[in-house]
Amino acid sequence: MTRAMLLHRKSGMGFTLIELMITMAIIGIIAAFAYPIYQDQAEKGRLSDGRVALTAAAQTMERCFSTTGSYQNCWPTGGKSSESGFYTVKTTSATDNTFVLEADRVKATGQNKCATLTLSNTGKQDISGTPTWSLDRCW
């Protein structure tokens, strides 16, 4: 091989520093947009676990009321964990004619943007604590 062929072969073997810097900049820009969107989607998934657990608990309370005529003693006093384990559902008040269920986040796997979810016997959905999302977005 001649010297010219060796030089040509060496220059085409890898990436230049500028090419690597441009690639890293593009990856950084994409990540800056993609990561917050991913976090929001993950939070929505965790919230669905809490909403499903509250709805199932309300159905259990209604079944208990239809057989006993009271909402008292229809839910375990220590609460019950949701299916995925992100929330614990408990009653904050249960009388003969009313109840309020509360879902508290127990697994801290991200920002809890809705704080505590609540559901009453009338179907009123609410949030308490210090939420960063609105009621419409949480429910």
Side-chain angles (χ1 to χ4, degrees):
M1 278 197 204
T2 65
R3 180 174 167 82
M5 289 173 67
L6 285 174
L7 288 176
H8 184 279
R9 188 172 179 196
K10 283 185 180 179
S11 66
M13 296 274 300
F15 300 106
T16 65
L17 182 59
I18 295 296
E19 291 171 334
L20 287 174
M21 296 288 282
I22 290 170
T23 303
M24 294 303 293
I26 291 170
I27 290 172
I29 290 168
I30 291 172
F33 287 106
Y35 190 68
I37 292 169
Y38 165 75
Q39 290 288 34
D40 282 351
Q41 292 301 318
E43 180 67 16
K44 286 179 185 178
R46 291 182 204 104
L47 279 172
S48 69
D49 183 47
R51 289 192 302 259
V52 166
L54 277 176
T55 304
Q59 290 173 349
T60 300
M61 296 289 282
E62 292 296 339
R63 281 193 300 273
C64 179
F65 180 80
S66 69
T67 58
T68 64
S70 173
Y71 290 117
Q72 293 181 2
N73 302 320
C74 288
W75 195 253
T77 54
K80 190 175 176 184
S81 184
S82 63
E83 185 176 331
S84 296
F86 289 111
Y87 286 88
T88 297
V89 178
K90 60 184 177 183
T91 57
T92 56
S93 65
T95 65
D96 286 340
N97 300 317
T98 63
F99 70 84
V100 176
L101 293 169
E102 186 176 85
D104 292 321
R105 176 71 86 55
V106 286
K107 282 189 178 176
T109 56
Q111 295 179 344
N112 186 1
K113 296 186 178 186
C114 290
T116 301
L117 303 170
T118 60
L119 181 63
S120 71
N121 63 303
T122 61
K124 182 177 185 245
Q125 303 164 337
D126 204 0
I127 50 178
S128 61
T130 53
T132 56
W133 282 357
S134 67
L135 177 64
D136 292 340
R137 193 165 181 192
C138 291
W139 277 96

